[in-house]
Structures are given as C-alpha cells and as structure tokens.
C-alpha cells in the first residue's frame, strides 16, 4: 500500500493544519507494526508505544494531543477530527487495532469527562502510554439498545457500593485493566410499556470505575466472527469505595450518551477506512483481471458499480467530516460541555456503516469467486464491517435519534401560534 486515503487531504475545508500533520504521520509504513498482527494485547501495546495513538483520546491539558485553538483550556476537549483520521487509517490497515483503539476511548472518555482529579491522575497517563486498557461496560443480556432498562445494581453499603449483575458483549474485556461500569443506583428497571418509568430508569443509572481484577468481578471471553477481544462480565458482591463513582449519582445515562456522541462519529470514520480499502482492492482487481478479451474495468456494469461505490464513500466521508467539524468547533454549552451533535453523529454513523457494507459487498462481487476465499482482503473486510452496523447503537437506534433530533428542531422553530404548514391561517 503506498498511501492511505484520509479525509483531511480530500476535504480540507473541514480540517486544519494540525490534521494534515497528523495525516502525514499516519502512513502505511508507520502503521506497519499493526498490519496483520493478530495478538490483541500486542496490538493494544503498540498503539501506545511506539505509535502514540492514544494521545488523541486525552485532552491536551491532561497530557494528550492538542485540540485546536480556543479548546486547549477545556479539560474535557478531545479533537474528534483527529479521532476520525486515526480510525480512517486503522480501518484500512487493521480493523482489530481500530476496535481496540475505539474501546480504549470509550473506556477513558467518561474519566476525562466526569472523573475526579484523583481518578484522572490514576488512569489517564497509563491510558496514554498503553500500559492500561479500558472497557465500557454498558450492555447487558436484557439491556442492549434500551439502556434505561439495565439491571446491574449498585447498592449503597457503609461508605461504598456493592455491585451485582451481568454485562455482555463488552469489547476489550480480555485485555482490560479497568472497567467503566454503568449500574442502577435507584428505582427498579422500567418494564415494557412503562413510559413514565423510563425517565426514572435513566435517572437511576450511575457510572463506576472498577478494577477488572477486583474481588467479585469475573470475566469470560466470547469468540467472535472476526478477531476482536470481547467478553462477558459478572459482578457478585463487588465492593467499591464511593471514590470509584464516576460523576454524579444518577448521571450515568447522560455520561454514556455524551461518550457515545463523540465516538459514534468515529465509527463512521472506521467504516469509511474499510470501504476505501475495499474500493482500492476492487479497482486493482478489475483493472488486472481480463474477461471477454479486455480488463473487467472496460465493462459498463463494472464501471457502474465503481461509480456507485466511490460516490457513496464520498457522501459518507462528508457526513463524518461535517459531524466531527461541528463537534470540534460549535460553541460549547453552559458549563463547558461540548455542543450536542447527536443528530449529525447518528447520521454519520448510520450512513457510513451502511454504505461501507454495500461498498464491501460490491467489492466481493467484483472479485468473483476469489472474493469468498478465506484470506483475501475483501473476504476479510466483508466479515470485519458487519459489527459496525450494530455496535455503539444499531442503525435502527440511529434512525430514532435522527428523527427525534429533526422533530425537536422543527418544533423549536415553529412559533406556538402558527397553524401547521398547508393549513390556511
Ligand atoms: N448528551 C447529553 N444529554 C443527552 C444526550 C447526549 N448526547 N443524549 C440524551 N441525553 C439526555 C436527553 O437530553 C434527555 O434528557 P432529559 O430527560 O433531561 O430531557 C435524556 O438524556 C434522555 O434522552 P432520550 O430521550 O434521547 O432517551 P431515550 O430513552 O428516548 O433514548 C436511546 C435513548 C435509545 C437513544 C439510547 O438508549 C441509546 O442510544 N441506545 C443505544 C445504546 C447503545 O449505543 N449501546 C451500545 C453500547 S456501546 S457498544
């Protein structure tokens, strides 16, 4: 591979000089230690040293990479456009590294956002170096998309808490040193159809920072269809001090959503990286492979496929760049929190992951029979892309978030006394 396809080169209007400098460092040669490596622990370590990629998960004020003019003072700022470039590159070179990187972010950003000074000092320098790997323990056997219904319980006991419950499909579990655990600290989980209980359900969730080796925590890996460290966690009488609490009691749901808002954009970027790799493989194949006396690229139907793949990829890259740019540059909310970009993030995640699936599927089709032989690049990508339409919020959940966002905006713009459009006043 000579060069990686990175949005900062093709869409400079959304990016700044420091992004071009980062892109110049994200070369196939620099990332060669990750390409083809299958040992997850080794991959996780290399991304810390020597590559320094985890710096993009930590704000500059806490030792991480700069987040741009006017943002350096914000302790909570991370530069989402840098995350986009890193994940676009990793998507092309090593989806395994990409997944570990992303979950290192999910497992540390809640500490960045809501951690006490002591928690930040304990966790973040080691996250930066890669000596410490984190995980984001939200999903449960009975609570996937419906976060408000989670059942893991944290019971107040003396000056601490006791955790009981089960988490499943938690990435990085086989590697993780610490877990960001979301647990119920109040009202029981809402039941189906219990609309009034949902608000209470959300308000009763609190986040905790738990050592993966703490007494009462057990982990079990789950084999996946692609190389990816993932597993199940059980908490049985796991006692943690109150200083393990991350943020306010009852602030866990909002903390989870704020974390996902930033990282969902970067899921779109990873999908774009994988799709770009598939498109490049497809172009190389159809220009070399001859059928009916000419290269496949001379066939009109093949050209139509290539045109659709390239256009969908560019549309996805635009949506991802738009969401990341808005997240990085929109005025902060009261209290210094990053601006809400839930709608744009959901659009970017949904469109890019769905488009990447279609692009990679076309790349397999263009490879003919070789496209389904184990070990070919497009066959690997075909398996690697699938989880991205599910994790960090399914396509269907993104649609709900988008619809809610545009309806709320429309309602805010419509004066209360104005008749609905189409009706005579
Ligand atoms: N930042 C700040 N606040 C947020 C927020 C964000 N990004 N997203 C939601 N909130 C707040 C809302 O403002 C609302 O606050 P109020 O009650 O004060 O109005 C509250 O949180 C509830 O938000 P919402 O009404 O959107 O919640 P719903 O229960 O309707 O929907 C969904 C929540 C379904 C969108 C959520 O549960 C979700 O994202 N599910 C998917 C979970 C997921 O991604 N799992 C994968 C785990 S990681 S691999």
């Amino acid at each position: 591979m000579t060069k990686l396809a990175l949005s900062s080169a093709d869409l400079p209007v959304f990016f700044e000089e420091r992004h071009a400098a980062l892109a110049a460092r994200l070369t196939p040669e620099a990332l060669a230690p990750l390409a083809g490596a299958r040992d997850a622990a080794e991959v996780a370590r290399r991304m810390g040293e020597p590559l320094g990629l985890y710096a993009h998960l930590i704000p500059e004020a806490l030792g991480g990479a700069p987040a741009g003019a006017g943002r350096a003072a914000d302790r909570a700022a991370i530069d989402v456009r840098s995350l986009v470039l890193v994940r676009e590159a990793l998507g092309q070179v090593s989806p395994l590294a990409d997944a570990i990187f992303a979950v290192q972010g999910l497992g540390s950003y809640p500490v960045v956002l809501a951690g006490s000074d002591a928690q930040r000092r304990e966790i973040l320098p080691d996250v930066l170096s890669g000596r410490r790997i984190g995980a984001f323990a939200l999903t449960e056997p009975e609570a996937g998309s419906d976060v408000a219904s989670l059942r893991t319980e944290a019971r107040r006991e003396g000056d601490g808490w006791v955790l009981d419950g089960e988490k499943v499909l938690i990435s990085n579990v086989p590697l993780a040193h610490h877990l960001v655990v979301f647990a119920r600290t109040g009202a029981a989980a809402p039941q189906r159809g219990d609309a009034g209980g949902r608000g209470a359900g959300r308000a009763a969730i609190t986040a905790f920072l738990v050592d993966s080796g703490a007494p009462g925590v057990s982990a079990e890996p789950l084999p996946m269809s692609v190389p990816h460290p993932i597993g199940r966690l059980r908490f049985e009488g796991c006692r943690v001090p109150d200083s393990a609490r991350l943020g306010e009691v009852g602030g866990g749901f909002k903390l989870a959503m704020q974390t996902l808002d930033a990282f969902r954009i970067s899921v779109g970027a990873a999908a774009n990286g994988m799709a770009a790799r598939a498109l490049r493989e497809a172009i190389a194949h159809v220009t070399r492979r001859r059928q009916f006396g000419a290269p496949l690229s001379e066939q009109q139907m093949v050209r139509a496929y290539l045109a659709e793949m390239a256009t969908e990829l560019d549309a996805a890259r635009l949506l991802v760049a738009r969401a990341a740019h808005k997240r990085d540059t929109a005025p902060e909310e009261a209290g210094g929190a990053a601006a809400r970009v839930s709608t744009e993030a959901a659009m970017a995640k949904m469109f890019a992951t769905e488009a990447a699936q279609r692009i990679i599927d076309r790349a397999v089709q263009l490879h003919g029979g070789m496209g389904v032989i184990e070990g070919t690049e497009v066959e690997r990508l075909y398996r690697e892309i699938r989880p991205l339409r599910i994790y960090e919020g399914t396509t269907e959940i993104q649609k709900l978030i988008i619809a809610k966002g545009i309806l709320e905006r429309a309602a805010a713009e419509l004066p209360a006394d104005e008749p609905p459009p189409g009706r005579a006043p």
Side-chain angles (χ1 to χ4, degrees), residues 3 66 71 101 104 157 175 183 186 249 265 275 292 300 395:
K3 210 167 159 232
R71 296 266 159 163
F101 174 83
Q104 178 78 321
E157 217 178 85
L175 312 175
V249 172
I265 301 172
F292 303 108
Q300 283 198 345
T395 289

Side-chain angles (χ1 to χ4, degrees), residues 14 71 81 321-331 339-341 344 409:
F14 292 103
R71 296 266 159 163
R81 285 170 295 172
R322 191 261 307 243
H325 181 268
K326 184 168 177 190
R327 173 65 167 57
D328 289 344
T329 60
R340 281 254 334 238
V341 290
E344 292 83 356
R409 267 179 216 171

Side-chain angles (χ1 to χ4, degrees), residues 362-402:
R362 287 268 161 84
V364 169
Q365 192 72 10
L366 287 171
H367 275 72
M370 288 313 288
V372 288
I373 294 299
E374 201 182 315
T376 57
E377 202 57 41
V378 290
E379 179 275 333
R380 183 185 60 73
L381 286 165
Y382 188 74
R383 285 180 290 117
E384 300 273 17
I385 190 62
R386 192 61 185 86
L388 278 69
R389 290 165 57 208
I390 300 172
Y391 75 60
E392 291 190 42
T394 60
T395 289
E396 293 72 18
I397 287 295
Q398 306 311 323
K399 287 181 183 171
L400 296 182
I401 294 171
I402 296 163

